[in-house]
Amino acid sequence: MSFDFTALEEEARQKIAQAQDAALLEALRIQYLGRKGLLAEITAIIPTLPLEARPEYGKNANLLKNKLNQLLEARARQIKEDATALFEQFDFTLPGAIPQAGTAHPIAQTVKEISDIFTKLGFVIAEGPEVETEFNNFTGLNIPLDHPARDAFDTFYIKSPSHQVTRSPEKEKNRFLLRSHTSPVQIRVMKKHKPPLAVIVPGKVYRPDAVDASHSFMFHQIEGFLVDEDVKFSDLKGILSVLAKKLFSRNIKMRFRPHFFPFTEPSAEVDISCILCKSHQVTKSQGHQEKRCSVCGGKGWLEIMGCGMIHPNVFANVGYPKGAYTGFAFGMGVDRIAMLKYGINDIRLFYENDLRFLRQF
Amino acid sequence: MKVTYNWLKDFVDITLKPEALADKLTMAGLEVKAIDAFDDDFVFEIEITSNRPDWLSVIGIAREIAAITGKKLKIAKTRRTMDEGRRTKDDGRWTVTIEDKAACPFYSARIIRDVKVEPSPTWMVKRLQAIGLRPVNNIVDITNYVLFTTGQPLHAFDVDKINSHHVTASPRHQRKIIVRRARNTEEIITIDGVIRRLTPEILVIADEKNPIAIAGIMGGEETEVHGSTRNILLESAYFSPLVTRGASRLLGISSDSSYRFERSVDKASVVENSDYAAKLIITHAGGELGELYKAGSPKTQKKIITFNVSSVKRLLGQEIALSKVKSIFKALEFKVAASGKNVLKIEVPAFRQDVTSEIDVIEEVCRIAGYDTIPLSIPAIKLSALQEDLLLTIQEKIRETLMGVGAHEVITYSLVSEESLRKARVSLASVIRLQNPLSMEQEVLRPTLLWGLLTSLRCNVESGSRKCSFFEIGDCFNQGVEFRALGLIADGRELLEVKGIVELLLEKLGLCGVEFFNSMNASYKEGQTAGIRIGDKEIGTIGRVKEEILADCKIDLANIIAAELNLENLKPFVNFQKIYGGLPIYPSVTRDISLVINEGIVYQKIVGAIDALSLENLEHIRYKGLYRSEEIGKGKKSLTLSLEFRSPERTLTDAEVNAYLEEIIRKLSLELQAVIR
Ligand SMILES: [Zn+2]
């Protein structure tokens, strides 16, 4: 038995050229080069050939094998190219058509984020009116009559006393004002309800400050308070550290500095470690200064809220029996927290409502 | 309050470096805002809380440092009480009279004769400069130095200028210092050279005729100590915080002196501190100590507080040992006596006016022991008796829905100008105004959200954002009522589209029986605005904003649609309960019909007429379009409806649906003269 190598090559060339897809081509490869294919047959007869014919025969067989491989590979490439030419390729580098989605105001988002942390702990949200009585805003909160905060320099008063602004029918026989903090809601809630109370109060507050990058006559606060038979300062520290870790980061450091507020005692201001520079050293003012951190001014700490144990006089003012309850309260500026969290450097941006700003949150 | 490191060291041994000391002070409630090097000293800028006037002095801060670092306070060595003094010249006796004991319970005046007014010693000049004061002369500088050291404001008068405007009749003439209210017509030129008009709200120090100083605030120019002054009268007194603050605000003067009187000085140490100054004057300006005149009483009530030490643990969650408690109070110069097991009697020193009850005592323990000694705990939070207001859920639902339709939430100022409301054609008749607005820009409490929404729109038009919708949820104020409202404004949406958004919103809130009725509203275009109501409760407004308003607001747009809802009014109708209604089994059949009707017939009338037939298998009536043309004729319009029929029991046949249609057409042509096209 012998083979006509030239004829075989010519036949294979034609068949390979006609193969229209990768599967047919694979079948041809098996037919020629497979374990039981043509080339296997060709080499199988080598032992039957006369010795002197074998080298020539073997060389030709090898040439054919190489040639077939070449043809198959070339055709495979061709098939692949043809296939891609058949479809229109989608250009995924084009930008997607983003739908016009709405946005929640960054202040509202921050309020929600903080409220959610507390409602998960079992706190209930309460709101109060922005037009308040002098009693709820000051007297009830143990702020004495001669306290400077009551001055017209620090609180907006409502003009006509004949226009008594009320949301609820309860009326106070005193001046009306725009609440200067959310704390009057403590008085409203405690007057109406007995402990246990775990309440979180978001809302707008007003102070006669001229508007600049860090001041606004209207801003937002979140107030929280917990009153029960046995609430301790250590609970206040525990709850607020949960807040700081959830709101900022797990690694945040926190410190409680003694402070003074008329409606809490002991009172504290709460600092967190600076979220930008993360250094914790006190200002070094000697000699030449390295560039001071723009967020904390180089102090390493950021004041974020005030808090304390509710003053016994406040409990007395809402009619709770003496010594029956203890509780803590805390309050923070939402605008300030949002500014720190998002790195916003101008409070006015919140109230201009430029979409190029709003869309970033 | 500024103090220097070395100044503090006069009164307490400090081994801490300035930074470490600053940290300790901060953690004890004296927040150090900055430390600045000054020559060989360090200046601490400390924020003093309003409850601690005793900290407005070097000694007060030194006392705190002694308590927190366990060192001894060195006051006695530095200050010494002076004797009565002598009268060396027969220049007349003085009388000091207080007319208003409430405004000034105690007044002292020390005469010092033959002083030599000259520049102060260098060390004193340096300290005063370090805390930002301008040195004047030794007498004035010493009064300032003692003010900052002790917290007691002092004033030195040139004795020979008092009563100078009338010739002393006899050498034994009674010379008078009167502490009284100013009279309405009185004036004084203060040391800053300004003529001050006085009123009876202002307390003055006067001689027989005229005011010579504004009590506790600023002295008069006429009796000021200057280079040729020889004899001085050194005033040390207690002026009422309220009266001082009132006068300070009225006159617009705030001084280091008024700042301290406003917060209350230590009445018990008024004379002691005067003596300290007198001693310094004699040391540095020579002269002879003269007599001391007093009026009123420096007595304060002794305060003893019973303190059950176990209440510390109850309130703080951390026990503090009795011995530690005792040492804290001793360091703070309180007197402590045991009074039964775990009970102490604590006598409060006169300079600690802030401590009046047990809670104040607990705070001191906590503060000096350090807030960082209190552990962290998580309390068991019980269910509160208070229930959340439905308004909160309503707001969340609204926010979610409106964001879903691509609207952006805004927050605008609740205080607006009258002018802006006029521009927005909002009535000013029953608005609520501020008594003390910062400016005319923020005079009125907003009665509507419309103005704020317009300003948001304008800001974005200016910055190039078009075809945007904005909404705000916030309180409005009108007719003596504060109410929560929703406002929505849309650029690039048709009236029906915005109405659709409102309808979607109302549906999400589970409101039934909502009705839109044509109405008039000054802010909206005539014929293009409607009220929204449920039953007879009005819950809102919708309409096309008047073009004049857009022009007045400089908004370069036309076709702006706005809607406002009163959330308080719709709250009672809100229903979030949902019940699954099943899915239809049989297919429906939909037929469109086009009717030519008279202009005056509104859509609701057609639907009402069809509904009146009560066709049991008519599932939906849908609006498809409205069309006017010449061909149809003037005063006519063509309305296309889509009617969907479905039976819950079987597939409806063509014949059945045709019968329904015929019935509908018959009714509409009969009752409303509708013509099928
Ligand atoms: Zn920093």
Side-chain angles (χ1 to χ4, degrees), chain A residues 102-103 105 125 130 146 151-152 155 157 159 198 206 228-229 233-235 237 265 267 285 353 355-356, chain B residues 35 242 245 249 314-315 360 371 374 377 382 384 388 407-409 411 414 433 435-436 460 463 482:
Chain A
T103 49
H105 194 280
I125 302 174
E130 289 161 23
D146 59 354
D151 285 353
T155 302
Y157 286 90
K159 198 169 195 173
Y206 302 84
D228 204 345
E229 279 165 8
F233 200 123
S234 58
D235 297 331
K237 286 183 75 172
E265 190 166 3
S267 303
S285 306
N353 303 298
L355 265 177
R356 296 169 300 178
Chain B
I35 313 172
L242 208 57
R245 193 170 74 234
R249 288 271 157 109
R314 186 194 173 199
L315 199 71
D360 303 322
Y371 281 12
I374 298 167
S377 59
K382 300 174 197 145
S384 297
E388 253 177 38
H408 302 278
E409 184 182 19
I411 298 178
S414 325
R433 287 181 172 81
Q435 183 99 56
N436 54 331
N460 283 293
S463 67
E482 177 176 346

Side-chain angles (χ1 to χ4, degrees), chain B residues 615-619 644-648 650 652 656 660:
Chain B
L615 300 173
E616 59 174 334
N617 291 329
L618 176 58
E619 194 176 70
E644 187 177 9
F645 299 90
R646 191 201 308 270
S647 158
R650 66 203 140 78
L652 293 172
E656 283 173 302
Y660 286 138

Side-chain angles (χ1 to χ4, degrees), chain B residues 410-421:
Chain B
V410 297
I411 298 178
T412 66
Y413 293 124
S414 325
L415 297 175
V416 296
S417 67
E418 275 196 14
E419 176 62 18
S420 64
L421 293 181

Side-chain angles (χ1 to χ4, degrees), chain A residues 274 277 293 296:
Chain A
C274 178
C277 70
C293 169
C296 67

Side-chain angles (χ1 to χ4, degrees), chain B residues 511-576:
Chain B
L511 298 178
C512 294
V514 179
E515 211 184 323
F516 290 73
F517 60 99
N518 280 68
S519 70
M520 298 285 277
N521 185 313
S523 304
Y524 297 95
K525 200 171 172 180
E526 246 173 90
Q528 307 273 302
T529 177
I532 309 169
R533 67 183 168 213
I534 302 174
D536 51 11
K537 191 80 179 168
E538 232 182 285
I539 60 162
T541 308
I542 183 169
R544 194 182 305 278
V545 177
K546 273 187 184 161
E547 265 126 42
E548 306 95 274
I549 295 179
L550 298 178
D552 286 357
C553 296
K554 309 231 173 342
I555 298 174
D556 186 21
L557 293 174
N559 195 25
I560 297 302
I561 312 295
E564 296 167 80
L565 291 177
N566 180 325
L567 303 186
E568 230 95 25
N569 282 357
L570 63 78
K571 187 168 96 173
F573 304 99
V574 168
N575 179 6
F576 287 123

